[in-house]
Amino acid sequence: MRNLQIAHNGLKMFSQLLDIPCPSGREDRMAAYLVERLTSMGLAPEKDPAGNVLVRLDGQSPERPNICYAAHMDEIGLTVTQVFADGSLAVERLGGLLPWKIGETAMSIIGDGEDVTGVLSLGSGHSSQVVEAGPSWGTARILTGLSAEALSDRGIRVGAAAVPVRDVRGPFAFGEEASPWVGAWTFDNRLGIVCCLDALATLQQEGIRPRSPATVVFTAAEEIGCLGAKAFALRERPEVFIAIDGSPLVPECPVRIDGMPAIRSRDRAATYDQQLLREISQISANVGIDLQPVVYSGAASDASLVSSIGASPRVACLGYVRDSSHGFEATPLRTFDHLTTTLAALFTQL
């Protein structure tokens, strides 16, 4: 694949985030990056007991309800369930990762000490049993080339996590140079983080205060139950909670993959606030970005799971549309710009 050389600030930041492995429960490196970047922007980030990173913004109208904008830090991956004497590792999915999505690839194993490189094996293509059964986590192994004792010395134990190594993650720019696409393992949810940071930078550079008091929170453990968002919302009880996350392209939910963000009307965990949906869509349309309403039966978000436990009465989920969700994802580069434009408008007008 020819990787187009694209000068784009959002894509540059996205590439930096891909440098940081961040499987659920191992968000400390991403959190440290965000604290440093937010501090360099002149903001005052906090880290809460659940591992979330948050920034509080004073509103022009302090009497208005606090609005929370949430983008999760963690990514799907694997968790080690057994360490064998030969140093191979049995694994199970961490979040919604399917074996046919990841295939056989080099993996970074993240434990309590140094990272270890291994290779994910899904069985032999010369075995009729393996071929007929298809890939499964029950027979998957990560080969490390190290003994069990050497792995222990490096901090690799049951409960360690694994994600694809940096070299295979991208991003790759492809297509027409005038209107390129981007592919990477994975956008979810680094693209949401990029757009939140870019929108915050716009406010800082232009000296604009949000209309309403706002909290931007980068949440932990979304892929394994939205645990960070739940802890935050139960503690702070925001009246409005807006998740910034992906919108998968699936046949039963027709959305366009043209760079325009989607906004959920319902998903498997909640029906979203329809008045809030209309308000967000109108603000976005006013800056030239037409949002796509969508209903999902097989997805949830920080916002819908916060709603499901009664921790915030008004919720929404705004997302970037991408193909090949929870895999090697792809979207037009203009998706970065459109979502950032909408977020900046929401910060100033909602």
Side-chain angles (χ1 to χ4, degrees), residues 23 115 199 272:
D115 295 352
Y272 291 89

Side-chain angles (χ1 to χ4, degrees), residues 109-160:
I109 308 152
I110 302 154
D112 302 323
E114 63 183 274
D115 295 352
V116 169
T117 299
V119 169
L120 178 62
S121 170
L122 296 173
S124 173
H126 290 85
S127 166
S128 60
Q129 292 181 352
V130 171
V131 172
E132 290 168 7
S136 75
W137 297 128
T139 55
R141 297 289 183 269
I142 295 181
L143 312 177
T144 69
L146 297 170
S147 67
E149 292 77 12
L151 289 171
S152 179
D153 290 343
R154 290 164 171 79
I156 304 301
R157 55 170 172 81
V158 169

Side-chain angles (χ1 to χ4, degrees), residues 53-64:
V53 175
L54 55 127
V55 171
R56 303 179 194 275
L57 305 173
D58 294 332
Q60 298 177 35
S61 303
E63 74 281 0
R64 293 180 64 82

Side-chain angles (χ1 to χ4, degrees), residues 306-319:
V306 159
S307 174
S308 74
I309 61 170
S312 181
R314 304 187 67 198
V315 296
C317 181
L318 182 66

Side-chain angles (χ1 to χ4, degrees), residues 19-222:
D19 291 341
I20 307 170
C22 196
S24 304
R26 303 278 178 168
E27 295 95 344
D28 51 312
R29 299 182 205 181
M30 184 67 77
Y33 170 91
L34 289 170
V35 166
E36 181 179 354
R37 188 167 192 110
L38 292 164
T39 301
S40 72
M41 293 164 58
L43 297 166
E46 307 169 29
K47 189 173 179 182
D48 73 8
N52 303 312
V53 175
L54 55 127
V55 171
R56 303 179 194 275
L57 305 173
D58 294 332
Q60 298 177 35
S61 303
E63 74 281 0
R64 293 180 64 82
N66 183 273
I67 299 175
C68 172
Y69 299 88
H72 71 86
M73 295 184 288
D74 59 319
E75 63 177 302
I76 56 174
L78 299 174
T79 188
V80 175
T81 60
Q82 191 172 351
V83 180
F84 296 105
D86 65 357
S88 62
L89 309 172
V91 291
E92 181 55 89
R93 68 180 186 173
L94 185 61
L97 179 58
L98 299 170
W100 57 269
K101 273 290 187 179
I102 190 170
E104 293 180 325
T105 190
M107 304 290 292
S108 288
I109 308 152
I110 302 154
D112 302 323
E114 63 183 274
D115 295 352
V116 169
T117 299
V119 169
L120 178 62
S121 170
L122 296 173
S124 173
H126 290 85
S127 166
S128 60
Q129 292 181 352
V130 171
V131 172
E132 290 168 7
S136 75
W137 297 128
T139 55
R141 297 289 183 269
I142 295 181
L143 312 177
T144 69
L146 297 170
S147 67
E149 292 77 12
L151 289 171
S152 179
D153 290 343
R154 290 164 171 79
I156 304 301
R157 55 170 172 81
V158 169
V163 295
V165 297
R166 180 63 184 90
D167 288 350
V168 304
R169 295 163 75 90
F172 297 97
F174 61 99
E176 298 290 343
E177 291 194 35
S179 184
W181 281 49
V182 179
W185 182 282
T186 68
F187 287 100
D188 188 8
N189 186 37
R190 291 175 175 87
L191 182 48
I193 295 173
V194 166
C195 294
C196 284
L197 290 174
D198 271 348
L200 282 170
T202 298
L203 264 64
Q204 290 294 98
Q205 291 162 8
E206 298 181 5
I208 300 172
R209 292 170 62 197
R211 181 185 180 195
S212 303
T215 305
V216 181
V217 56
F218 301 95
T219 61
E222 188 269 354

